[in-house]
Amino acid sequence: MARINPHMNFNGNAEEAFTFYKSVFGGEFVKIIRFKDLASADFKVAEKEENKIMHIALTIGKTDMLMGNDVPEFMGKTNENENRSKIVITAESKEEADQLFNGLSVGGQIEGPIGDSPWGSYFGCFRDKYGIEWMVDFDPKNNG
């Protein structure tokens, strides 16, 4: 079965964001590649970009992974207010939903407070302090 893992673009603060995500989710960084690690005669890297993140991956649970990178300045700025997608977290308990919602939304903007939804699940949504949009859901009928 194919797996789907979210990948996010950042404007130079991917390492800071992923350190924050690790503080909420736990897990380990399985890969961190900086632009300087790939520099060569054919792939020039500006000095101000060499320590930025080319690729970072954080394990979430047993099988999921959150991935991201910094967008080099020559490619333009990532619009942090127009992601047009959300990362959905399906929690295994109401307590876990609260912990993830409360942890990830620190410094962000809550769009829908976490609570009982009209469709029967425990649900909330927000944009975190890095501009990433999240939805947290726990459905007791589906055992998480």
Side-chain angles (χ1 to χ4, degrees):
M1 169 75 57
R3 291 178 31 215
I4 297 173
N5 294 299
H7 185 280
M8 302 174 288
N9 293 312
F10 293 88
N11 291 312
N13 60 346
E15 187 166 13
E16 174 190 332
F18 271 75
T19 300
F20 172 71
Y21 298 145
K22 182 178 179 184
S23 77
V24 175
F25 288 111
E28 295 298 324
F29 295 125
V30 293
K31 190 173 284 191
I32 299 176
I33 301 170
R34 298 184 187 281
F35 282 100
K36 68 181 177 185
D37 299 332
L38 302 174
S40 69
D42 296 329
F43 184 70
K44 303 284 187 202
V45 176
E47 188 175 336
K48 65 182 176 182
E49 307 257 85
E50 60 186 14
N51 285 313
K52 290 183 180 177
I53 301 293
M54 171 76 167
H55 179 76
I56 190 166
L58 173 67
T59 58
I60 307 286
K62 295 178 184 171
T63 60
D64 297 325
M65 197 157 319
L66 188 62
M67 296 178 278
N69 67 280
D70 287 315
V71 175
E73 288 181 17
F74 75 85
M75 294 181 74
K77 189 171 175 68
T78 295
N79 186 339
E80 295 172 352
N81 292 318
E82 294 296 329
N83 279 338
R84 298 182 188 230
S85 61
K86 297 185 186 302
I87 298 174
V88 178
I89 303 171
T90 303
E92 293 182 351
S93 68
K94 193 173 184 178
E95 295 75 25
E96 182 183 46
D98 282 333
Q99 183 264 324
L100 293 170
F101 184 92
N102 293 332
L104 288 168
S105 65
V106 169
Q109 178 182 354
I110 294 174
E111 297 169 347
I114 194 154
D116 294 328
S117 71
W119 54 89
S121 71
Y122 188 69
F123 176 85
C125 56
F126 58 92
R127 182 183 300 268
D128 74 18
K129 62 185 173 183
Y130 301 103
I132 303 300
E133 296 182 66
W134 299 81
M135 296 189 301
V136 177
D137 187 65
F138 168 67
D139 188 344
K141 291 178 276 193
N142 294 330
N143 295 322

